[in-house]
């Protein structure tokens, strides 16, 4: 074989090996990036995030066809398998509603473990002007969400505890609202005085009046258990002095 042909063959083989190794390295990097992101987001990612990681539209379609991505809604995918946890469903709902969306109302109360979620619906708040409609998602539009009104819990953006209590106040009877306030206090999320102080900056908003009335009742006290909470009105009706609560005997 002529030397020039032999050298050209070696050069092409070397280039092929270099390209193959580089392609595998790039593929591994992309795959690692997707899995790392999905792990932080309870198994879900958005199309925009995949594009930012370097996956092109055809690569995304290929992964959907081969079962590595599973559509959960418009522009949101579960990674690896179609089933996601409850946290994954919450995260998917938030991600599908845009970059400033947060879990709110009864869904936020459920995540904070101070209330229960409305069956069959996930509630999300977005800024006014965001035009998003999603199946199974109730979208609340707000003119503003202050920095102190939003946070993250378990990696999911959501309304802060006090904001959440205000949002659900009008939906709950007095007893259930008292229970939510006491659950927030027991979990170290908020306390009645913090909630009462925050209401001064929310004057006129829905839920504030109801919440203020409950907090300002002479009979409002914190309790540690359902038994304590139920016994208080019995004691009042019997004409007994208010018992001490949250005390070990």
């Amino acid at each position: 074989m002529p030397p020039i042909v032999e050298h050209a063959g070696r050069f092409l083989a070397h280039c092929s090996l270099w390209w193959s190794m580089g392609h595998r390295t790039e593929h591994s990097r992309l795959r690692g990036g997707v899995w790392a992101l999905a792990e932080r987001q309870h198994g879900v990612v958005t199309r925009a995030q995949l594009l930012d990681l370097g996956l092109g539209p055809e690569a995304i379609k290929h992964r959907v066809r081969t079962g590595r991505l599973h559509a959960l809604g418009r522009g949101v995918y579960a990674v690896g398998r179609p089933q996601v946890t409850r946290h994954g469903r919450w995260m998917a709902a938030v991600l599908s509603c845009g970059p400033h969306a947060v879990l709110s109302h009864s869904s936020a109360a459920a995540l904070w473990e101070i209330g229960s979620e409305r069956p069959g619906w996930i509630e999300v708040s977005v800024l006014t002007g965001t035009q998003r409609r999603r199946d199974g998602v109730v979208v609340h539009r707000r003119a503003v969400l202050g920095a102190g009104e939003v946070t993250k819990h378990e990696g999911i953006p959501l309304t802060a505890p006090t904001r959440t209590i205000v949002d659900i106040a009008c939906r709950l009877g007095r007893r259930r609202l008292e229970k939510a306030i006491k659950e927030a206090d027991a979990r170290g999320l908020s306390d009645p005085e913090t909630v009462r102080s925050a209401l001064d900056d929310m004057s006129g908003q829905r839920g504030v009046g109801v919440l203020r009335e409950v907090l300002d009742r002479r009979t409002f006290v914190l309790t540690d258990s359902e038994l304590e909470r139920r016994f208080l009105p019995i004691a009042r009706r019997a004409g007994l002095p208010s018992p001490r609560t949250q005390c070990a005997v």
Side-chain angles (χ1 to χ4, degrees), residues 13 27 39 70 73 80 88 102 119 135 148 163 173 185 189-190 204 207 222 236:
H27 177 74
E39 187 175 358
H70 304 269
V102 294
D135 292 338
R163 176 77 260 178
D185 182 79
L189 302 173
S190 186
L222 289 173
R236 286 195 293 271

Side-chain angles (χ1 to χ4, degrees), residues 11-248:
F11 175 74
L12 290 174
H14 177 75
C15 288
S16 176
L17 178 61
W18 174 82
W19 182 88
S20 177
M21 291 176 63
H23 182 70
R24 286 198 298 269
T25 300
E26 179 68 10
H27 177 74
S28 297
R29 185 186 66 79
L30 288 173
R31 183 173 60 182
V34 172
W35 278 107
L37 178 62
E39 187 175 358
R40 294 195 301 272
Q41 297 184 164
H42 302 283
V44 300
V45 297
T46 68
R47 175 182 173 83
Q49 290 173 332
L50 292 173
L51 292 172
D52 286 343
L53 285 172
L55 269 71
E58 289 304 317
I60 294 173
K61 290 178 182 178
H62 173 72
R63 282 162 172 76
V64 172
R65 287 195 302 269
T66 56
R68 283 181 278 177
L69 292 175
H70 304 269
L72 296 177
R74 190 183 306 171
V76 182
Y77 304 93
V79 178
R81 57 182 181 177
Q83 296 82 16
V84 294
T85 63
R86 190 184 192 190
H87 285 64
R89 291 194 296 275
W90 282 330
M91 179 64 89
V94 170
L95 291 174
S96 73
C97 290
H100 302 296
V102 294
L103 201 69
S104 66
H105 294 75
S106 67
S107 298
L111 180 51
W112 286 123
E113 298 184 70
I114 60 174
S116 56
E117 188 173 38
R118 294 171 66 184
W121 293 99
I122 297 176
E123 297 189 84
V124 173
S125 285
V126 300
L127 295 178
T128 301
T130 304
Q131 301 300 319
R132 297 291 176 105
R133 292 181 181 273
R134 297 290 183 265
D135 292 338
V137 179
V138 177
V139 178
H140 301 273
R141 289 174 174 80
R142 305 179 189 264
V144 65
L145 275 171
E149 295 183 289
V150 297
T151 185
K152 280 189 177 183
H153 183 57
E154 302 288 345
I156 300 173
L158 79 168
T159 48
T162 297
R163 176 77 260 178
T164 302
I165 292 171
V166 173
D167 288 340
I168 64 175
C170 286
R171 301 179 179 178
L172 307 179
R174 183 175 64 83
R175 197 160 71 178
R176 289 178 61 201
L177 182 54
E178 285 185 359
K179 184 178 180 181
I181 297 168
K182 292 163 186 175
E183 284 288 348
D185 182 79
R187 296 179 182 280
L189 302 173
S190 186
D191 61 76
E193 288 307 313
T194 299
V195 175
R196 187 181 282 109
S197 297
L199 295 182
D200 294 336
D201 296 327
M202 300 180 183
S203 181
Q205 296 185 34
R206 193 166 184 266
V208 170
V210 176
L211 192 51
R212 196 187 298 279
E213 181 183 347
V214 168
L215 288 169
D216 289 346
R217 290 176 69 93
R218 183 177 58 83
T219 54
F220 180 81
V221 293
L222 289 173
T223 58
D224 275 338
S225 68
E226 181 71 7
L227 179 60
E228 281 187 351
R229 189 174 66 80
R230 288 180 177 273
F231 182 75
L232 289 171
I234 296 173
R236 286 195 293 271
R237 287 196 297 269
L240 298 173
S242 294
R244 295 176 63 190
T245 60
Q246 296 185 302
C247 294

